[in-house]
């Protein structure tokens, strides 16, 4: 996962997807969210480093052309972003196919991570994404398969999510703990 994240030129994805009418978000919360921590802007959130990406891929046992991934994008409007990611992955020797899914197909594929898609590109339109986004994307307890939207099954991560979305335990610290864990594990 880290090799893939280091391969991606985040600015190019933003320009390819939104013609520059956006920003690169280095966190799980929108800059408009009450949960957003401005310190996240200064963090190195897998800024593109092709050399490091190739090194990590080799450490994982993959040589050039030995790995193929499927990129699923929600709606045709996400396809330009998927094409940028596809080109970035080619730079480190990963082959990628793109599947554009309409809403019905996208919804039916959400629990088919290993069978249908490896990377999911979707747009969030809300200005205030915070705890609700954590619940939708990362709370394995709300999904039938017991995994997060991204196919993660991690008890420690689940405990962090539950602390960050609970009214009793929520704080900026619990939210930051989720952000730090996601970054460390390359979950998003």
């Amino acid at each position: 996962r880290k090799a893939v994240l280091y391969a991606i030129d985040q600015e190019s994805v933003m320009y390819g997807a939104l013609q520059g009418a956006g920003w690169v978000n280095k966190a799980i919360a929108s800059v408009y969210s009450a949960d957003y921590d401005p310190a996240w802007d200064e963090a190195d959130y897998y800024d593109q480093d092709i050399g490091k990406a190739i090194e990590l891929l080799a450490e994982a046992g993959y040589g050039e052309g030995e790995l193929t991934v499927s990129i699923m994008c929600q709606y045709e409007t996400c396809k330009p972003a998927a094409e940028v990611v596809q080109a970035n992955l080619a730079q480190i020797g990963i082959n990628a196919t793109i599947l554009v899914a309409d809403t019905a197909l996208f919804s039916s594929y959400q629990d088919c991570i290993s069978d249908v898609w490896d990377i999911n590109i979707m747009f969030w339109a809300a200005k205030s994404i915070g705890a609700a986004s954590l619940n939708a994307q990362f709370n394995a307890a709300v999904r039938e398969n017991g995994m997060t939207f991204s196919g993660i099954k991690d008890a420690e991560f689940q405990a962090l999510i539950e602390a960050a979305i609970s009214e009793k335990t929520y704080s900026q610290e619990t939210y930051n703990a989720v952000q730090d864990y996601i970054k460390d594990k390359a979950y998003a």
Side-chain angles (χ1 to χ4, degrees):
R1 287 189 299 260
K2 289 182 180 182
V4 167
L5 290 177
Y6 276 117
I8 298 171
D9 178 354
Q10 300 164 27
E11 289 283 330
S12 292
V13 172
M14 188 261 303
Y15 279 95
L18 302 170
Q19 292 78 44
W23 63 90
V24 172
N25 202 24
K26 295 189 175 197
I28 54 175
S30 162
V31 296
Y32 295 110
S33 171
D35 304 306
Y36 191 78
D37 185 342
W40 296 339
D41 290 334
E42 304 307 317
D44 170 15
Y45 199 85
Y46 300 100
D47 294 331
Q48 188 181 42
D49 185 334
I50 297 298
K52 189 167 191 155
I54 291 170
E55 178 184 318
L56 290 168
L57 201 57
E59 286 176 17
Y62 293 101
E64 186 171 338
E66 293 181 359
L67 181 61
T68 299
V69 298
S70 177
I71 303 169
M72 181 172 74
C73 50
Q74 183 184 22
Y75 313 120
E76 193 69 33
T77 55
C78 295
K79 190 172 181 185
E83 290 169 341
V84 171
V85 171
Q86 181 183 45
N88 289 160
L89 294 177
Q91 290 180 291
I92 65 166
I94 295 178
N95 303 307
T97 59
I98 298 172
L99 167 67
V100 178
D102 62 20
T103 302
L105 187 59
F106 182 83
S107 295
S108 71
Y109 282 167
Q110 287 184 16
D111 291 328
C112 303
I113 294 120
S114 62
D115 297 334
V116 180
W117 59 274
D118 303 293
I119 298 170
N120 180 11
I121 297 178
M122 54 193 281
F123 293 141
W124 288 89
K127 283 189 172 182
S128 156
I129 295 176
S133 175
L134 285 183
N135 195 47
Q137 293 183 62
F138 298 113
N139 186 357
V142 300
R143 304 195 62 79
E144 288 182 23
N145 65 6
M147 295 183 200
T148 69
F149 180 81
S150 302
I152 300 163
K153 192 167 193 169
D154 178 333
E156 183 177 351
F157 185 49
Q158 184 62 28
L160 291 170
I161 292 293
E162 289 174 5
I165 63 174
S166 168
E167 289 181 21
K168 294 178 182 175
T169 55
Y170 167 82
S171 67
Q172 190 64 50
E173 290 76 30
T174 59
Y175 206 90
N176 284 352
V178 170
Q179 169 68 20
D180 292 344
Y181 197 85
I182 287 172
K183 181 181 175 188
D184 182 57
K185 297 289 185 177
Y187 281 165

